[in-house]
Amino acid sequence: MAERKARADALRNREAVLTAADALFARSASPRSVSMDEIAAAAGVGKGTLFRRFGDRTGLIRAVFDARIEPLRQAVTDGPAPLGPSAAPRERVPALLDALLCFKLDHRHLALALEEAGSGSPYQGASYAWWHAILRDTLGRLAGTAAAATSGVTADATAGPPGGGRSGDAPSGDGRSGDAPSGADDFTAHVLLAATRADLVEHLADQEGATPDRLRAQLAAFVARVLGEEGRAA
């Protein structure tokens, strides 16, 4: 009984810390100006609790970010189209990037705090690696679909009559598939994700006055151009 109560208290304290940190990051001029002392006081816990549970400020920022983005990640891994894995690749890529942009717009303070945490390159973070892998693999599926369609057209055009000896030939094509994305898919995924970086979103929204609708439309047009080039290259 006492053990269950301790676990419940720990969960309650954790949520209080995450909520307090999220609110303080949102209200601050710069996420770097928020101290662990302020977060502990707002959450009603000792500063030692923060360090024991989250390690340091960067660990706390990452925990808040992960808690807020988890519903979106669940939609990507287990949800229906257009975000889920059952979606057609050409539909899924723009949907993934639009959803990520909307998250950055709604949680700009949090995304900036994570990027500014001083924990090394943002490209080495677990969250970035997860999104990059999803996009890279989806782009690989898109290229594989295009290559398969091209192979089918070529095979239909060059096939001889039944029994003419060509039916046993290996199908033409470059052999790419969603299971083996190319280096081009890897690079393209990086380029697409760069358009949703929190510092860029912050600059466009706050410094240039771009509205969320405008940013979403510009991103959609950019993704369409990139996918158009990908299709021609395939």
Side-chain angles (χ1 to χ4, degrees):
M1 188 69 169
E3 184 178 349
R4 285 201 300 272
K5 184 179 185 303
R7 285 200 300 268
D9 289 343
L11 289 173
R12 185 164 53 250
N13 286 342
R14 174 183 170 82
E15 186 55 38
V17 169
L18 295 180
T19 301
D22 196 5
L24 286 170
F25 290 148
R27 291 199 300 267
S28 65
S30 170
R32 284 179 288 189
S33 67
V34 179
S35 70
M36 295 290 270
D37 286 324
E38 290 175 301
I39 294 171
V45 301
K47 188 166 71 171
T49 298
L50 268 63
F51 286 105
R52 284 193 301 272
R53 179 166 289 277
F54 301 103
D56 57 16
R57 182 177 178 277
T58 301
L60 174 56
I61 292 170
R62 186 173 295 112
V64 176
F65 184 90
D66 288 345
R68 299 301 176 253
I69 204 169
E70 183 58 24
L72 175 56
R73 289 182 55 150
Q74 287 291 329
V76 171
T77 57
D78 303 319
L83 291 177
S86 65
R90 188 168 289 276
E91 176 189 25
R92 194 184 193 202
V93 170
L96 289 169
L97 290 161
D98 181 68
L100 188 55
L101 173 63
C102 289
F103 179 86
K104 295 286 184 73
L105 286 166
D106 291 340
H107 302 275
R108 200 152 69 241
H109 61 287
L110 195 52
L112 275 173
L114 189 60
E115 289 185 4
E116 295 176 356
S119 57
S121 170
Y123 304 107
Q124 296 175 353
S127 179
Y128 182 89
W130 188 88
W131 283 99
H132 178 265
I134 292 287
L135 268 177
R136 181 200 62 209
D137 293 348
T138 306
L139 288 165
R141 287 175 52 212
L142 175 61
T145 300
T150 302
S151 298
V153 170
T154 303
D156 288 343
T158 59
R166 295 191 59 91
S167 60
D169 291 350
S172 62
D174 60 7
R176 291 175 62 188
S177 71
D179 294 327
S182 73
D185 300 327
D186 189 87
F187 178 77
T188 302
H190 281 303
V191 170
L192 291 173
L193 284 174
T196 68
R197 275 184 58 93
D199 53 356
L200 175 61
V201 172
E202 174 79 0
H203 172 76
L204 294 174
D206 287 1
Q207 302 302 316
E208 296 191 4
T211 65
D213 286 344
R214 180 184 172 193
L215 287 175
R216 293 179 68 190
Q218 290 176 328
L219 178 63
F222 171 64
V223 175
R225 286 197 299 272
V226 172
L227 294 186
E229 292 296 329
E230 284 280 294
R232 284 192 286 273

